[in-house]
Amino acid sequence: MELLKRNTSKWVALSLMGAMLMAQPVWAKDYEGHWAEVAIDKWSGYGVVKGMENGDFQPSSPVTRAELATFLNRTFQYTSSDAVRKYEDIEAGKWYSEAIAAVTNRGLMYTPGTKFEPSKPATREEVAYAIAKAYNLQPDTTAPTEFTDGKDISVWAKDAVQALAGQGYIKGNPDGSFKPQANITRAEVVTILENITPHMITKADTYATQLDGNVVVQASDVIFKDMTINGDVYLTEAIGEGKVRFDNVTVNGDIYVDGGQVTLSGTFNTVNLASTGAFDFTKGTMKKLVVTAENESIRLREKTVTDYLLIVADAKFNIEGVVKETSNQSADKLVVEEAGVFVGGNFVPVEVVGNEVVINLKDLSARTPGFDGMESLMIVTNKEGAYIQGTFGGTMKTNVPYTFRMADSALGIFEEMVDQVTANNSQLKNIADAVGISSDTVYAMLAENGTISIRHMLDQFYNVNLMVRQYTGASLPKEYTFKRQLRFENEPPVVLTIRLEVE
């Protein structure tokens, strides 16, 4: 009987042990011995990266756009929100839909067109762009990073690549190239995250040891005390209404406050306040405080508090200390993210600088050899439902492809081109009036088989310009600028500039 009891106890213990083992994540360890093993283990522990359904991690597989969005969302713990921009290929309820909505609302991923393409491998430049945006990295323009194929990096990604490479977070290939359009593996992305975030705070505790490198905080009730942080600090939305305290701390970097009730004491550079939680600066110095979210509980105490206070959102302050300089800035809540033309069904981005869209026909022609019929135009903004107000009451919605004829009808572009050509030359105006040149005739002249061909458009420009010079001695403008109002619901209109360059 005693023997039976001992064996039964042993069997129960083994059963319990088996149950405990089964409760743990099952990994096939297909990355064991891999050069990124340590980083993969570490970021798996954070819950940022996960394996496939069969337990494999597949470190050498290309990271998809959906996976990249998910990695960033888990790192910064963005609060879920409805997507302001809808994609044709994203269904609600998919494992990646909330992450894609979160990164899209924050403008973190380069996504021209109406599709997100979640299963498509992300390119190296797309990953660089997304990570640089998420971490608010800026390039050091005084020390440009050289890659042998730097000319192949897309305009929209150049600053991001330069920022990451300049700070040593990414490196080129042995031959000095970057290969911006090449795929990037899951292991490589995890390694970049590890390089840029050596410290992830995931539990409540007091930290009093110097930290070198950037710090991401996901936990509440965290105290940093009597220490130095040599890097940027990111207080994520996961903190919610929890508390984070810096007590006699020097931060040799910037602080980004997206969540938490924060108390600061020490020496700081720039503090970017995007949280609506209580913010209390109790003692010390701060070079710059930037308030980007509506906040009614900001308290600055003691003597010298900050050199510069920039307010870009509604906020109420209780200031007992000294603010050397204060500035209020009305931040545009509506911005242009991307613009481009569809050529052969493919979206070809054009240059966007602020709220100015630049369409260079020669550049487009060089990038679209062979078939170069511009089927439609799309301007992408960070707000769904935004629209461009035309001169004669027409409107063009953003985030929706418009044929060039429809865009012209809505915005009056071709008619204004005629006005710009004839504005300073009475002889040209008389000829245009006599011939009866209108928006319709301009479109008919530029179009070829119902589509505007870039090559045909350039040829027509050169031919007409030659004729105009022969008859009048004048030359056609090589650049046409149109200013329109960009609107969204009840927000004040934003001036949108569309610049068409022929050469």
Side-chain angles (χ1 to χ4, degrees), residues 265-389:
S265 170
T267 304
F268 306 92
N269 290 322
T270 299
V271 178
N272 298 276
L273 181 59
S275 171
T276 57
F279 179 85
D280 195 349
F281 191 94
T282 61
K283 187 177 183 180
T285 61
M286 176 169 45
K287 290 183 180 178
K288 189 175 182 180
L289 174 62
V290 182
V291 182
T292 60
E294 296 181 4
N295 198 310
E296 296 187 358
S297 53
I298 299 174
R299 188 178 182 89
L300 308 179
R301 308 172 188 247
E302 290 294 329
K303 296 181 180 179
T304 302
V305 173
T306 182
D307 292 342
Y308 188 75
L309 173 60
L310 174 61
I311 308 169
V312 293
D314 292 334
K316 294 182 180 179
F317 288 83
N318 185 332
I319 302 176
E320 298 173 4
V322 176
V323 176
K324 294 182 180 178
E325 187 175 353
T326 303
S327 174
N328 287 294
Q329 175 180 305
S330 177
D332 290 336
K333 294 183 179 179
L334 179 62
V335 297
V336 175
E337 288 184 339
E338 283 297 331
V341 298
F342 286 87
V343 179
N346 297 314
F347 184 88
V348 181
V350 298
E351 185 179 4
V352 173
V353 181
N355 281 324
E356 180 178 81
V357 177
V358 183
I359 304 175
N360 186 299
L361 293 178
K362 263 200 165 179
D363 175 62
L364 277 174
S365 181
R367 285 194 282 160
T368 56
F371 178 74
D372 65 349
M374 296 193 293
E375 299 167 355
S376 52
L377 166 74
M378 183 165 71
I379 294 174
V380 179
T381 61
N382 63 329
K383 298 287 186 183
E384 190 74 21
Y387 62 92
I388 305 166
Q389 184 74 53

Side-chain angles (χ1 to χ4, degrees), residues 189-467:
V189 173
V190 175
T191 301
I192 296 173
L193 292 174
E194 171 63 11
N195 289 344
I196 201 171
T197 315
H199 308 287
M200 179 84 81
I201 306 298
T202 59
K203 64 178 182 178
D205 207 340
T206 297
Y207 300 85
T209 304
Q210 177 173 308
L211 298 177
D212 294 321
N214 298 330
V215 180
V216 172
V217 180
Q218 294 184 346
S220 60
D221 298 323
V222 170
I223 299 174
F224 298 99
K225 184 177 178 62
D226 300 327
M227 63 181 297
T228 298
I229 299 176
N230 293 312
D232 294 337
V233 179
Y234 303 85
L235 305 182
T236 68
E237 295 178 49
I239 302 169
E241 292 301 314
K243 296 180 180 180
V244 178
R245 182 180 183 89
F246 293 76
D247 188 358
N248 188 32
V249 175
T250 297
V251 177
N252 293 316
D254 294 342
I255 300 180
Y256 298 90
V257 184
D258 289 309
Q261 302 181 51
V262 179
T263 302
L264 298 183
S265 170
T267 304
F268 306 92
N269 290 322
T270 299
V271 178
N272 298 276
L273 181 59
S275 171
T276 57
F279 179 85
D280 195 349
F281 191 94
T282 61
K283 187 177 183 180
T285 61
M286 176 169 45
K287 290 183 180 178
K288 189 175 182 180
L289 174 62
V290 182
V291 182
T292 60
E294 296 181 4
N295 198 310
E296 296 187 358
S297 53
I298 299 174
R299 188 178 182 89
L300 308 179
R301 308 172 188 247
E302 290 294 329
K303 296 181 180 179
T304 302
V305 173
T306 182
D307 292 342
Y308 188 75
L309 173 60
L310 174 61
I311 308 169
V312 293
D314 292 334
K316 294 182 180 179
F317 288 83
N318 185 332
I319 302 176
E320 298 173 4
V322 176
V323 176
K324 294 182 180 178
E325 187 175 353
T326 303
S327 174
N328 287 294
Q329 175 180 305
S330 177
D332 290 336
K333 294 183 179 179
L334 179 62
V335 297
V336 175
E337 288 184 339
E338 283 297 331
V341 298
F342 286 87
V343 179
N346 297 314
F347 184 88
V348 181
V350 298
E351 185 179 4
V352 173
V353 181
N355 281 324
E356 180 178 81
V357 177
V358 183
I359 304 175
N360 186 299
L361 293 178
K362 263 200 165 179
D363 175 62
L364 277 174
S365 181
R367 285 194 282 160
T368 56
F371 178 74
D372 65 349
M374 296 193 293
E375 299 167 355
S376 52
L377 166 74
M378 183 165 71
I379 294 174
V380 179
T381 61
N382 63 329
K383 298 287 186 183
E384 190 74 21
Y387 62 92
I388 305 166
Q389 184 74 53
T391 305
F392 308 107
T395 60
M396 174 182 170
K397 292 182 180 179
T398 63
N399 301 6
V400 177
Y402 271 65
T403 67
F404 275 82
R405 192 70 189 103
M406 290 169 61
D408 167 54
S409 299
L411 304 183
I413 291 177
F414 293 152
E415 192 158 339
E416 190 167 331
M417 284 179 69
V418 175
D419 291 341
Q420 291 185 24
V421 168
T422 60
N424 298 317
N425 191 298
S426 58
Q427 189 177 359
L428 272 178
K429 180 168 177 48
N430 291 336
I431 293 173
D433 291 342
V435 175
I437 293 179
S438 66
S439 176
D440 291 333
T441 55
V442 172
Y443 177 76
M445 182 174 64
L446 298 180
E448 184 177 59
N449 299 323
T451 300
I452 290 185
S453 161
I454 307 173
R455 175 190 51 77
H456 182 65
M457 199 171 180
L458 288 170
D459 289 343
Q460 289 286 26
F461 171 82
Y462 295 132
N463 292 336
V464 173
N465 194 35
L466 180 61
M467 193 184 339

